[in-house]
Amino acid sequence: MIHFDQVSKRYDGGFEALSSVSFHIEPGEFVFLTGHSGAGKSTLLKLVTATEKPSSGQVRVDGQQLKSLNRREIAFYRRKLGIVHQDHQLLMNHSVYDNVAQPLFISGEHPGDVKRRVHAALDKVGLLNKEKFRPIQLSGGEQQRVGIARAVVKKPDVILADEPTGNLDPALSRDIMNLFAQFNDIGTTVLIASHDLGLIARLNYRVLSLKQGQMISSPFGTNGGTYG
Ligand code: ADP
Ligand code: ADP
């Protein structure tokens, strides 16, 4: 589903955030991306979302060569991604309902479908009873769950999350990870960047480790060493 082939990323100014990184993630896998602050985790996710372009190498997602996509094709490509941010980036002056509905409004979803899908997403994260609240009236864990509902409302093929539990205590972090696991159970590919090694160690998922821009572990997953 996600293929990196000798991907390097050098930012303006010359700093190489990723150095010849190769790995692949199969459809339906659940993978953690770890490494210290500055290791390149966010950069790697930005290459997957086509927010940044590699300086060299190839990024392929669901068969699509990202560097060959034009602006319009990138917008279309991103529809298959559900992106969860650490600071959730909710609209604080809008209701929970409107926050979750936002991606559907943007993609011009039929109004009749919007309500049904927003309710389905809020139901999955356990927040149906809070749809009229504003994010400011919710706890940190609830706000993060709104962010997840918004990410999954369009039934993405891939969920990408950058430090989704960064501001949460351990119990809430486990709840959030359980939510991701539930989406993975129905076939969604999940890639989560986190430096919470304690949390990752308790969960039995594949771990990709970055160290100073280099991939230092398990680049080819569990199904043999062939690279395709
Ligand atoms: P420092 O914290 O001084 O940068 P290191 O990077 O050498 O130290 O790592 C400290 C410990 O964390 C070591 O036990 C190392 O194996 C482990 N470690 C480092 N990077 C990762 C990573 N990306 N994923 C998992 N463990 C890591
Ligand atoms: P992580 O998510 O693991 O903390 P990042 O991918 O955010 O790591 O950053 C990796 C390195 O790239 C860091 O040294 C960071 O300062 C640098 N970096 C990130 N974004 C930019 C940018 N837009 N311009 C220049 N350097 C950047």
Side-chain angles (χ1 to χ4, degrees), residues 1 6 20 22 33 54 57 63 69 82 86 91 101 106 109 113 129 141 144 150 157 160 166 169 187 195 206 208 227:
M1 176 61 89
Q6 297 191 19
S20 198
S22 297
L33 176 64
L69 303 181
Q86 174 175 358
L91 304 168
I106 288 171
E109 203 75 20
D113 288 337
N129 57 339
Q144 190 54 286
R150 184 183 54 188
D157 297 330
L160 302 167
D169 68 36
H195 61 247
R206 180 173 160 215
L208 292 171
Y227 180 67

Side-chain angles (χ1 to χ4, degrees), residues 11-12 15 17 35-44 46 52 162:
Y11 283 109
D12 295 344
F15 186 82
H36 293 289
S37 177
K41 303 181 297 295
S42 298
T43 299
L44 190 153
K46 284 176 185 163
E52 294 283 354
D162 196 354

